[in-house]
Amino acid sequence: MNTPAATTTTTERELSFGTPQLRATLVRDAEDYLIEGRTMVVNPSMTAVTVAETPRKTIPALTSTVLADTRIERADTLILLRPGREEVGEASLVDAPGWGHLADLLGDQGGFPRDTPLYRSPQDEIGTVVFDAAHLLGERETAVSLREFTVRANLWFAPAGTDCVIHNEHDFIEVHTQVQGLGRMQRFRDRDHASLYQDVLMSPGYTTPDPFCAIGPQCTYHYPYHQYHADTDCVWLAVEYHPVPRAPRT
């Protein structure tokens, strides 16, 4: 069990998308925080997380790693994922509370193909962060236009061999962390598998190093055609950054 030092203000709560086979915990304001056993540590914040080992190394913003039996010196926010001994399978997720086939979750207007076995967990709100999206996405060298974003997270599951549908529409910035199995994030020139031009191979504990999108007009985001492909039965974490609407000027 991950427990904070008694003298800190660290808080933690279980996330809604955890399952009996996969414990998911949100940790805030961590100081001298003990990681017991093998744990995937995701940093969804904009500040680096320091691991209390020598030489001192960090977990950069929007990245992850796998740690075991060590301490976190300091962290604003952490998502901790601890898979159990048994792998999370389709049978255990179909009836799990809040989980569902994406076609059912989106409804008739969503248009998601029912023959694509893609399942989504409940989504949990992680908190808010402030950053300059253009700076984060490498489109300018310094942060000059800060904006508040709501951070949300959920799990996905797809069985081996699933193409999770090529698309290019999102109104948020997203990154993905592999939790179970071997998969890949893929980029395409158009909505055609033959136009594939990049495979980002993902194994447990790995987070896509850069968001795929670029800045669009009026706080929108331009994505290339992309999809997740499951080489084996896969579980992965999506962390989304949604811009908070600004109050109208008076």
Side-chain angles (χ1 to χ4, degrees):
M1 178 177 178
N2 296 290
T3 55
T7 58
T8 73
T9 58
T10 301
T11 62
E12 60 182 5
R13 70 172 174 87
E14 298 304 303
L15 291 163
S16 64
F17 50 77
T19 73
Q21 297 85 12
L22 176 61
R23 184 181 174 194
T25 306
L26 176 67
V27 181
R28 295 185 182 281
D29 302 317
E31 285 190 35
D32 193 31
Y33 186 87
L34 177 63
I35 301 291
E36 282 191 286
R38 189 174 177 84
T39 303
M40 294 180 194
V41 180
V42 181
N43 178 11
S45 70
M46 295 297 119
T47 57
V49 172
T50 306
V51 182
E53 299 291 347
T54 303
R56 288 291 187 268
K57 296 294 181 180
T58 63
I59 307 169
L62 277 64
T63 68
S64 62
T65 193
V66 179
L67 297 178
D69 301 320
T70 187
R71 288 184 178 273
I72 298 293
E73 281 191 350
R74 187 174 183 85
D76 290 341
T77 306
L78 299 169
I79 298 174
L80 305 182
L81 302 170
R82 297 195 64 191
R85 294 183 179 181
E86 295 183 8
E87 289 195 343
V88 180
E90 183 172 353
S92 67
L93 295 180
V94 171
D95 297 321
W99 281 78
H101 191 287
L102 188 57
D104 295 325
L105 297 175
L106 295 179
D108 294 338
Q109 301 301 316
F112 190 81
R114 188 164 294 279
D115 59 355
T116 299
L118 178 61
Y119 297 87
R120 190 181 71 189
S121 76
Q123 190 171 71
D124 209 327
E125 190 163 308
I126 304 303
T128 60
V129 293
V130 175
F131 60 88
D132 179 339
H135 176 62
L136 177 74
L137 298 173
E139 297 182 20
R140 56 173 163 241
E141 293 184 359
T142 58
V144 297
S145 180
L146 298 179
R147 185 169 187 144
E148 186 177 25
F149 290 76
T150 299
V151 186
R152 299 170 186 159
N154 62 268
L155 294 174
W156 294 92
F157 171 82
T162 302
D163 285 315
C164 296
V165 179
I166 299 173
H167 60 288
N168 68 344
E169 306 88 8
H170 290 303
D171 57 1
F172 49 80
I173 298 170
E174 67 174 357
V175 293
H176 299 90
T177 299
Q178 189 75 13
V179 178
Q180 174 186 298
L182 300 176
R184 58 189 77 195
M185 289 297 300
Q186 300 178 313
R187 300 194 209 198
F188 304 84
R189 293 186 181 89
D190 53 48
R191 205 184 296 268
D192 181 350
H193 287 91
S195 69
L196 173 71
Y197 69 87
Q198 184 180 18
D199 255 335
V200 180
L201 305 182
M202 300 178 66
S203 59
Y206 179 82
T207 295
T208 47
D210 298 297
F212 278 9
C213 61
I215 296 294
Q218 299 180 341
C219 201
T220 60
Y221 306 101
H222 172 69
Y223 277 83
Y225 286 104
H226 65 285
Q227 74 161 4
Y228 185 89
H229 173 83
D231 292 309
T232 67
D233 287 2
C234 283
V235 177
W236 65 101
L237 174 75
V239 181
E240 302 174 353
Y241 298 82
H242 296 255
V244 175
R246 289 174 171 156
R249 294 182 179 179
T250 58

